[in-house]
């Protein structure tokens, strides 16, 4: 199984559920798991097990799927999307992406410039200014505290303090479900991040910082509008 198979499953959900296809991401992943298991049984890894192989595939390809889902709408706004790993690892970046990388880097003084660990970067191609970064994980426990750390580091430099830090997740552990009493992950989102968007059909107690995924593009449009206003 590869990402194209996952993309096909999503397009089937989109045909079935339209704009609410995002609510069925966890269901899609369960379907994908069965296909992945059948493939794995035909090509078993030495001393490995399917759960381990599936977790690696699931995490990596959820990031790619969310990037795939948002890219068209983001580009309609005149913005661009780039994978964080590409900025981190590629040794042959274009001039544009090299500038984006510089504009996102955190200064650790004598220890050099380093990029935050994020999955997706949204930037303005006209000036290479980074507007937002996104961490995408199946559950909050995988990286929510680390994402909060990167937000605090970005805030410390006048060149990066404007960058919004978002988290997108199916929240399969239900950490974001309730505002009060808040679980630790919800508290981190509410206090330290700029927002989290949930890929679920379950009911969640929404706030200014925790919303269903359907609000992401509208919030990004508002962010772009505010950015244009600030630059006037």
């Amino acid at each position: 199984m590869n990402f194209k198979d996952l993309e096909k499953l999503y397009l089937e959900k989109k045909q079935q559920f339209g704009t609410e296809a995002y609510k069925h991401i966890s269901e899609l992943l369960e379907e994908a798991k069965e296909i992945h298991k059948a493939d794995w049984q035909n090509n078993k890894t030495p001393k490995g097990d399917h759960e381990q192989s599936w977790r690696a595939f699931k995490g990596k390809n959820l990031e790619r799927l969310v990037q795939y889902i948002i890219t068209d709408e983001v580009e309609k706004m005149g913005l661009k999307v780039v994978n964080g790993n590409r900025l981190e690892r590629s040794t042959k970046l274009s001039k544009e992406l090299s500038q984006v990388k510089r504009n996102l880097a955190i200064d650790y003084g004598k220890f050099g410039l380093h990029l935050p660990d994020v999955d997706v970067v949204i930037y303005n191609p006209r000036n290479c200014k980074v507007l937002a970064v996104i961490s995408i994980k199946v559950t909050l426990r995988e990286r929510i505290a680390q994402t909060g750390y990167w937000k605090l580091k970005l805030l410390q430099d006048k060149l990066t303090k404007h960058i919004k830090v978002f988290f997108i997740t199916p929240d399969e552990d239900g950490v974001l479900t309730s505002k009060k009493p808040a679980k630790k992950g919800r508290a981190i989102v509410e206090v330290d991040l700029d927002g989290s968007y949930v890929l679920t059909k379950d009911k969640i107690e929404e706030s200014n910082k925790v919303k269903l995924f359907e609000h992401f593009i509208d919030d990004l449009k508002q962010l772009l509008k505010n950015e244009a206003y600030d630059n006037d």
Side-chain angles (χ1 to χ4, degrees):
M1 186 178 192
N2 56 38
F3 177 72
K4 283 293 181 184
D5 298 315
L6 208 59
E7 185 182 309
K8 183 180 177 183
L9 287 174
Y10 173 74
L11 290 175
E12 289 173 0
K13 296 293 182 193
K14 192 172 181 181
Q15 188 172 23
Q16 185 178 1
F17 300 107
T19 57
E20 295 197 337
Y22 77 89
K23 293 183 177 181
H24 301 270
I25 292 295
S26 289
E27 181 184 316
L28 178 156
L29 290 172
E30 282 302 311
E31 294 172 18
K33 185 176 182 179
E34 293 305 310
I35 300 170
H36 185 273
K37 187 173 184 178
D39 288 349
W40 179 84
Q41 286 174 335
N42 291 327
N43 300 280
K44 289 185 179 180
T45 51
K47 298 182 180 179
D49 60 55
H50 176 252
E51 281 299 324
Q52 184 180 12
S53 176
W54 168 245
R55 280 195 300 271
F57 177 91
K58 183 180 183 181
K60 176 183 176 183
N61 286 285
L62 177 63
E63 296 170 16
R64 294 182 66 186
L65 183 60
V66 171
Q67 183 173 340
Y68 170 77
I69 293 170
I70 68 172
T71 294
D72 282 350
E73 290 299 321
V74 171
E75 289 182 348
K76 285 177 186 176
M77 291 181 243
L79 303 175
K80 284 191 178 181
V81 176
V82 63
N83 187 274
N85 279 334
R86 183 179 175 193
L87 290 183
E88 182 82 55
R89 297 174 183 174
S90 178
T91 57
K92 294 183 178 180
L93 291 173
S94 65
K95 183 178 179 181
E96 178 176 297
L97 289 181
S98 291
Q99 188 60 54
V100 170
K101 184 174 182 176
R102 289 288 185 91
N103 290 343
L104 180 59
I106 294 169
D107 188 356
Y108 282 86
K110 66 180 181 180
F111 298 104
L113 295 170
H114 298 279
L115 292 180
D117 292 323
V118 294
D119 299 313
V120 170
V121 178
I122 297 175
Y123 70 95
N124 189 330
R126 290 183 290 278
N127 54 16
C128 299
K129 187 174 182 179
V130 178
L131 271 73
V133 294
I134 308 170
S135 285
I136 303 162
K137 291 291 170 277
V138 176
T139 63
L140 271 74
R141 65 182 174 182
E142 290 181 74
R143 209 161 73 183
I144 191 64
Q146 188 185 74
T147 304
Y149 165 80
W150 292 120
K151 173 61 182 177
L152 294 174
K153 293 303 293 182
L154 290 167
L155 278 172
Q156 289 174 6
D157 193 314
K158 63 183 181 181
L159 296 178
T160 56
K161 67 180 182 179
H162 67 280
I163 297 173
K164 302 299 182 185
V165 178
F166 299 123
F167 202 91
I168 294 179
T169 177
D171 188 26
E172 293 188 348
D173 291 340
V175 171
L176 295 174
T177 303
S178 299
K179 187 176 180 180
K180 291 184 179 180
K183 293 183 179 178
K184 187 189 295 183
R186 172 101 189 207
I188 291 171
V189 170
E190 295 282 2
V191 175
D192 293 330
L193 301 191
D194 293 296
S196 182
Y197 298 87
V198 190
L199 302 150
T200 185
K201 58 184 176 183
D202 296 333
K203 187 176 180 180
I204 64 168
E205 190 176 351
E206 293 185 272
S207 69
N208 288 335
K209 293 284 190 79
V210 177
K211 303 178 183 181
L212 290 171
F213 179 72
E214 64 196 56
H215 299 290
F216 174 73
I217 293 298
D218 285 340
D219 286 354
L220 190 63
K221 287 178 180 176
Q222 187 59 51
L223 173 61
L224 183 60
K225 190 182 294 183
N226 293 343
E227 182 77 14
Y229 178 80
D230 290 342
N231 289 334
D232 285 345

